Amino acid sequence: EKNGYPHFMLKEIYEQPKAVCDTTTIHVDKDGMVCFDNLNWTKADLENIDNILITACGTAYHAGLVAKHYIERFVKIPVEVDIASEYRYRQPLTSERTLCIVVSQSGETLDTLEALKEAKRLGARSIAVTNSIGSSIAREADYTIYTLAGPEIAVASTKAYTTQLVALLLLSLYMGQIKGTIRPELIKDITSALLTLPDKITEVLKEKDHMEKLADSLKDAKDIFYLGRSIDYAIAMEGALKLKEISYIHAEAYAAGELKHGTLALITKETPVIAVATQSHVASKMYSNIQEVRARGAEVIGIGYDDDPELEKYATDTVRIPRVDEFIAPILSVIPMQLLAYFTGIKRENDVDKPRNLAKSVTVE
Ligand code: M6R
């Protein structure tokens, strides 16, 4: 059932072109507009939403952090993203003018389910993004969007995450389409870019041998830092989580602009840095941050576009992704980080499919 792959995790990383293709095509019509069956929202429905809450755990929470950028840009409604186990135990200002979006691959994560129930109790309308048909979270939410990733067996989430990003991007385009806060041409541009994304993912997967080699430079590290700005910061968080759970190496993600506020003290030649630079409005700032950590002796693996001549001037090694719309870039830039985590775990002889102390679905607190 591993289809010739040594591990489910690697198989699932390689299933991403199909998973992304399936999740896109079902929600894009022949005119390139977004459709969700039976979600018959009107402009008035959206005008009755003052704020959006996204709540989830782990990797699904990281998908929510990216979605905040999507929704605020395309729908112009403020979004807060909260860890489900935090949300359910605070006194949130959720109301009947809140839309709550929960994200859960399994649809069974207890904290996420309870956070959804709490938001509903406070009057919120709700949407679940899940990979699991008929799951508890799917049954509890007012409306469910399914990611079509297929079964994800490895504990580390890979294809579920990239399909969550696709589903959340499509949802934000859909809301913007109805509310009139995004031009139809832009919707069509992004959906057509999503339709060609599977081929680009296949391109990025060709970096496999490169990532296997780079894992040699990470496998004996004690601490690894992941840096990014804007959407790349959210992706850096996902990259760091993947590395922690599979390699057992301490990794932390930092908003690169925060370096000077403390973290820079930890950077030495012993701390490899992974820097993601796909967002043009902060690119020059990222290059300065890379120079800052290089000046303290750190080796930097830069992840950026294949037509970006700047990155290799500053990073020790560069990993290239094809040029895409900057909102779509995270779906590509996370893939080298998944591979890096996988190979680092393998080189440390860990059980990458079943990392220690972790379960695939966390149905207890
Ligand atoms: O099934 P869920 O998406 O609700 O699971 C949430 C987290 O437990 C999960 O994403 C976890 O962080 C992964 N093991 C990360 O790879």
Side-chain angles (χ1 to χ4, degrees):
E1 52 193 304
K2 286 187 203 143
N3 259 348
Y5 289 94
H7 300 95
F8 282 109
M9 184 178 173
L10 192 62
K11 169 175 178 270
E12 289 161 7
I13 289 173
Y14 272 78
E15 283 171 346
Q16 290 180 109
K18 178 173 182 341
V20 162
C21 172
D22 291 349
T23 306
T24 305
T25 46
I26 137 170
H27 297 305
V28 175
D29 70 17
K30 58 176 184 6
D31 299 321
M33 301 304 272
V34 184
C35 48
F36 287 104
D37 280 351
N38 303 322
L39 182 64
N40 302 315
W41 275 347
T42 61
K43 196 166 186 227
D45 289 327
L46 280 163
E47 281 167 355
N48 283 329
I49 295 171
D50 287 343
N51 56 73
I52 294 179
L53 159 76
I54 305 178
T55 187
C57 302
T59 286
Y61 166 72
H62 294 157
L65 293 173
V66 176
K68 173 183 166 76
H69 290 266
Y70 294 160
I71 295 171
E72 290 190 343
R73 178 66 71 90
F74 299 134
V75 199
K76 313 283 183 219
I77 297 178
V79 179
E80 63 171 335
V81 192
D82 205 357
I83 294 166
S85 55
E86 290 295 317
Y87 175 80
R88 61 180 288 209
Y89 292 116
R90 66 179 165 97
Q91 289 168 6
L93 299 176
T94 300
S95 74
E96 61 288 344
R97 297 186 68 82
T98 303
L99 170 68
C100 167
I101 302 173
V102 291
V103 187
S104 174
Q105 183 281 130
S106 63
E108 299 298 342
T109 300
L110 184 74
D111 280 322
T112 309
L113 177 61
E114 291 301 323
L116 168 60
K117 287 183 182 164
E118 176 65 5
K120 282 181 67 183
R121 194 183 66 77
L122 294 167
R125 279 161 284 174
S126 59
I127 292 192
V129 174
T130 181
N131 197 39
S132 177
I133 295 172
S135 57
S136 305
I137 288 174
R139 281 182 277 124
E140 185 67 35
D142 298 339
Y143 186 81
T144 300
I145 295 172
Y146 288 106
T147 49
L148 299 187
E152 193 181 64
I153 309 293
V155 166
S157 188
T158 55
K159 61 178 180 168
Y161 174 73
T162 41
T163 56
Q164 282 161 359
L165 295 183
V166 171
L168 290 162
L169 177 54
L170 289 170
L171 175 63
S172 65
L173 295 176
Y174 173 81
M175 290 196 284
Q177 182 174 303
I178 297 201
K179 201 167 169 230
T181 42
I182 175 171
R183 288 178 295 111
E185 300 74 47
L186 182 55
I187 297 176
K188 288 180 192 173
D189 285 351
I190 297 179
T191 54
S192 87
L194 278 173
L195 291 167
T196 59
L197 189 60
D199 290 342
K200 301 202 161 122
I201 297 176
T202 305
E203 278 298 301
V204 177
L205 289 170
K206 293 185 185 148
E207 288 287 312
K208 172 174 162 277
D209 294 345
H210 184 195
M211 295 302 113
E212 185 168 6
K213 225 166 126 244
L214 285 178
D216 280 323
S217 64
L218 301 184
K219 70 178 194 325
D220 299 316
K222 284 214 165 49
D223 307 284
I224 299 178
F225 288 92
Y226 285 70
L227 301 180
R229 284 172 177 256
S230 182
I231 291 184
D232 290 336
Y233 172 41
I235 295 301
M237 291 170 80
E238 173 58 9
L241 175 62
K242 217 90 300 176
L243 191 90
K244 281 183 265 204
E245 75 178 329
I246 300 304
S247 74
Y248 315 152
I249 297 174
H250 169 242
E252 277 196 58
Y254 266 88
E258 276 288 290
L259 274 175
K260 284 193 183 69
H261 301 286
T263 325
L264 207 48
L266 295 171
I267 304 287
T268 67
K269 63 178 181 16
E270 314 291 332
T271 50
V273 170
I274 291 146
V276 192
T278 69
Q279 302 296 306
S280 55
H281 66 294
V282 286
S284 63
K285 304 277 172 199
M286 268 310 292
Y287 302 144
S288 314
N289 295 133
I290 294 173
Q291 287 170 281
E292 278 163 6
V293 293
R294 284 294 299 278
R296 273 81 190 171
E299 305 273 305
V300 177
I301 299 173
I303 301 177
Y305 297 114
D306 53 10
D307 61 356
D308 173 359
E310 293 296 307
L311 192 56
E312 65 196 7
K313 290 190 197 154
Y314 310 115
T316 327
D317 204 312
T318 52
V319 181
R320 302 301 191 168
I321 62 166
R323 170 69 63 175
V324 281
D325 183 285
E326 294 189 0
F327 286 105
I328 292 180
I331 306 171
L332 293 180
S333 61
V334 74
I335 292 171
M337 293 192 270
Q338 296 169 342
L339 289 166
L340 217 46
Y342 172 78
F343 284 116
T344 308
I346 295 289
K347 285 174 196 285
R348 289 168 64 96
E349 297 181 9
N350 296 346
D351 183 348
V352 291
D353 279 343
K354 286 201 179 76
R356 69 187 180 202
N357 308 341
L358 299 174
K360 181 65 183 162
S361 179
V362 185
T363 53
V364 293
E365 271 199 73

